[in-house]
Amino acid sequence: VLTAVEPAEPDAELLRRFVAGRDAAAFAALARRHGPLVWGVCRQMLPHDPDAEDAFQAVFLALAKGAETVRDPQRLAGWLHGVAVRVCNRARRTAARRRRREQAAAVSE
């Protein structure tokens, strides 16, 4: 049975639905649509899969918590990309600090 495929709702409308009523289906649609982009950024910037997975989740958590702060919903992909880069950079800085502390502790022992 063939069914008509509904045109994809624009990001702005999905975001509006999520902000207005915490619409889980709208959020899931945004995550499906933009997940590959976010995963690509996280995987490229963080070499270990668990770190990339944590960053990926942090990006969508930031969207869930701060969806109303997206200034231009039509540019959600750019917003998510920027958040992904910032989350990954923070993760790399944290990992570098942890390595330095561990190395210093190993030397002092």
Side-chain angles (χ1 to χ4, degrees):
V1 175
L2 294 176
T3 59
V5 176
E6 291 183 34
E9 278 188 86
D11 288 347
E13 177 58 21
L14 291 170
L15 194 60
R16 185 201 63 74
R17 284 180 31 206
F18 178 69
V19 168
R22 304 315 261 184
D23 185 332
F27 188 85
L30 290 170
R32 275 192 308 277
R33 182 177 296 168
H34 297 290
L37 165 81
V38 172
W39 176 249
V41 171
C42 295
R43 192 63 189 92
Q44 184 176 16
M45 293 184 71
L46 300 169
H48 302 331
D49 278 347
D51 296 336
E53 290 168 5
D54 290 347
F56 178 86
Q57 291 178 7
V59 171
F60 283 101
L61 181 60
L63 177 60
K65 287 183 173 183
E68 62 281 345
T69 68
V70 177
R71 288 189 203 138
D72 187 353
Q74 294 176 358
R75 296 186 178 171
L76 181 61
W79 187 89
L80 288 167
H81 183 276
V83 171
V85 168
R86 287 188 294 278
V87 165
C88 290
N89 281 334
R90 188 176 319 121
R92 291 192 326 195
R93 284 191 306 271
T94 299
R97 276 194 303 272
R98 183 174 44 252
R99 277 192 305 276
R100 285 193 302 272
R101 281 194 307 268
E102 289 170 355
Q103 288 170 349
V107 168
S108 66
E109 289 179 8

